[in-house]
Amino acid sequence: MTKAEKILAKASKKDKVEAGDIIIADIDIAMTHDLTGPLAVESFEKIGTGKVWDPSKIVIPFDHQVPADSLDSANNHILMREFVRSQKIENFYDVKQGVCHQILPELGHVLPGTVIVGADSHTCTHGALGAFATGIGSTDMAMVFATGKLWFKVPETIRFNITGELASNVSAKDVILHILGETGADGATYKACEYAGETVEKMSISDRMVLSNMAIEMGGKTGMVESDEKTYQYLEGRVKGGKSTINRLKAEQKRFITDLESPSLEIRDIDVDELEPLLSCPHNVDNVKPASEVDVEIDQVFLGSCTNGRIEDLRDAARILKGETIADSTRMLVIPASRETYMKALDEGLIKIFVEAGALVSAPCCGPCLGGHTGIIGPGETSLSTSNRNFKGRQGSPEGEVYLCSAKVAAKSAIEGRISVPEL
């Protein structure tokens, strides 16, 4: 079996499952937030069970519209806070922690070999730590709240075997944009996207999260990386049970390794030795071009989101921005993905570098990524963003344009006022 099949077999209490099987799986963690949560709560109340199946396994962060930016969002927050109180939800993070897909791993809710569902499509991010993690709708989440279970069709798997050395101005974001350009926006529909190979083995957990995060952009059901020593080092000090939990996870590791002879497995080889900085151009994520070939003036640069708002991204950008000034024609928003990231950036002096360069630094949240909060663009404006989607209207006006890039390209372009490639 593949890794995805093995995890779903365990979750459905079966010895073996095959791609295409319909199974009922036990859910280990269920997440919803301030934007998708209200519909989930309303639907849950219609089911009539009264109490959620397990208040310790539900995680509710506020991250999309925080602090509340309208009366509607304020009312949504009130509704969700009341649900948390009445159901005694143990893992509630009001407006204090940051983006859901960043804080779930940071706060120890993501473990290898588990099944995680979130009422947000980028829940696949958590597969970077070896989980089967996927986004679901709010009404499906209501059923999970009530029963702790959900049906799945077991997916086939595409294993991207990535080899080669990345150039100094190239990052994991360029790797996934390259894969997206080759695979297409619907080229992995309902498949588990597994990332492996020597390049992935060398990547940090942060970089692996970038790959897993954007599996959904090619239609993937989940993005996955096999857990290894880096995974366990990341989890130390974060998970309940400490060393004993880590030792148990290590002992179980072999149970969830993909068998390369699995009948549902397709392997695609990706060589990144010659890879250069890339862009996803309007208005489709798979419209990928070398950044060096695109000469476009930009109105806004957004550094943040669940894709590239981590401390490694802020460090990359700060190295380029230090001692420089953002172009007068361009505004730059820097939004750390979590409070932990924000605090590290403060301690390392990165925030000072951003502010001195002329950037606007905001509290951890999704920011302009969803097109409904801080920093949206207007008609005719162009945004260069480290986030994950560039559909029409994604960051505000449908008459605006959004290009996607790495933190390195974002920082250099902010200085130049146009899309530019850093020489590092």
Side-chain angles (χ1 to χ4, degrees), residues 34 153 253:
D34 54 306
K153 183 174 80 170
Q253 177 187 5

Side-chain angles (χ1 to χ4, degrees), residues 170-207:
V170 175
S171 70
K173 183 63 163 289
D174 301 303
V175 174
I176 192 59
L177 289 182
H178 172 68
I179 291 173
L180 278 163
E182 293 287 317
T183 306
D186 59 356
T189 299
Y190 208 90
K191 295 187 178 182
C193 298
E194 191 174 317
Y195 306 100
E198 62 181 28
T199 310
V200 177
E201 290 171 6
K202 294 176 183 177
M203 284 183 176
S204 65
I205 296 300
S206 174
D207 286 342

Side-chain angles (χ1 to χ4, degrees), residues 126-417:
H126 308 311
L129 292 166
F132 181 94
T134 192
I136 62 174
S138 293
T139 50
D140 282 335
M141 183 58 71
M143 188 56 69
V144 175
F145 282 176
T147 67
K149 299 177 184 293
L150 193 63
W151 73 271
F152 294 93
K153 183 174 80 170
V154 178
E156 297 176 342
T157 296
I158 301 176
R159 182 181 175 102
F160 296 98
N161 182 50
I162 307 170
T163 57
E165 252 344 286
L166 296 178
S168 60
N169 62 351
V170 175
S171 70
K173 183 63 163 289
D174 301 303
V175 174
I176 192 59
L177 289 182
H178 172 68
I179 291 173
L180 278 163
E182 293 287 317
T183 306
D186 59 356
T189 299
Y190 208 90
K191 295 187 178 182
C193 298
E194 191 174 317
Y195 306 100
E198 62 181 28
T199 310
V200 177
E201 290 171 6
K202 294 176 183 177
M203 284 183 176
S204 65
I205 296 300
S206 174
D207 286 342
R208 296 174 185 183
M209 289 172 76
V210 176
L211 303 182
S212 295
N213 176 276
M214 295 189 72
I216 187 65
E217 308 310 332
M218 49 185 156
K221 183 66 174 174
T222 188
M224 310 183 82
V225 178
E226 288 182 355
S227 54
D228 59 10
E229 198 58 39
K230 287 183 180 177
T231 312
Y232 308 126
Q233 288 174 0
Y234 178 89
L235 292 174
E236 278 190 31
R238 300 183 187 277
V239 299
K240 291 180 181 178
K243 287 282 188 183
S244 61
T245 299
I246 298 296
N247 290 335
R248 174 179 62 80
L249 293 171
K250 286 183 177 181
E252 293 178 348
Q253 177 187 5
K254 291 182 181 179
R255 181 180 179 183
F256 302 114
I257 292 176
T258 288
D259 300 321
L260 297 182
E261 68 275 14
S262 301
S264 67
L265 178 66
E266 175 190 353
I267 299 177
R268 297 185 188 178
D269 292 324
I270 308 290
D271 186 349
V272 298
D273 270 329
E274 303 299 322
L275 194 63
E276 59 181 296
L278 299 174
L279 295 174
S280 177
C281 302
H283 294 283
N284 296 294
V285 181
D286 58 355
N287 183 16
V288 176
K289 298 178 181 178
S292 60
E293 296 179 9
V294 180
D295 185 20
V296 173
E297 292 184 358
I298 50 178
D299 299 288
Q300 178 169 293
V301 174
F302 169 43
L303 173 61
S305 86
C306 60
T307 313
N308 285 116
R310 286 174 276 278
I311 189 63
E312 291 85 353
D313 304 301
L314 272 56
R315 288 169 182 157
D316 283 345
R319 278 194 289 271
I320 295 169
L321 284 165
K322 187 172 184 179
E324 301 285 351
T325 302
I326 292 164
D328 291 339
S329 60
T330 303
R331 56 192 184 271
M332 182 176 188
L333 302 179
V334 179
I335 305 182
S338 69
R339 183 169 65 170
E340 178 180 310
T341 301
Y342 201 120
M343 291 300 294
K344 286 181 180 177
L346 281 170
D347 291 343
E348 295 177 21
L350 307 185
I351 301 298
K352 187 172 188 289
I353 291 172
F354 296 138
V355 174
E356 286 182 341
L360 302 171
V361 181
S362 295
C365 69
C366 295
C369 181
L370 66 149
H373 199 36
T374 309
I376 60 175
I377 60 173
E381 290 195 310
T382 298
S383 169
L384 180 64
S385 175
T386 65
S387 56
N388 43 43
R389 286 190 175 149
N390 62 348
F391 311 138
K392 277 192 175 184
R394 175 66 185 185
Q395 290 190 9
S397 172
E399 297 172 32
E401 293 190 331
V402 179
Y403 291 80
L404 305 179
C405 69
S406 70
K408 296 171 184 176
V409 170
K412 180 63 174 177
S413 301
I415 296 167
E416 302 298 331

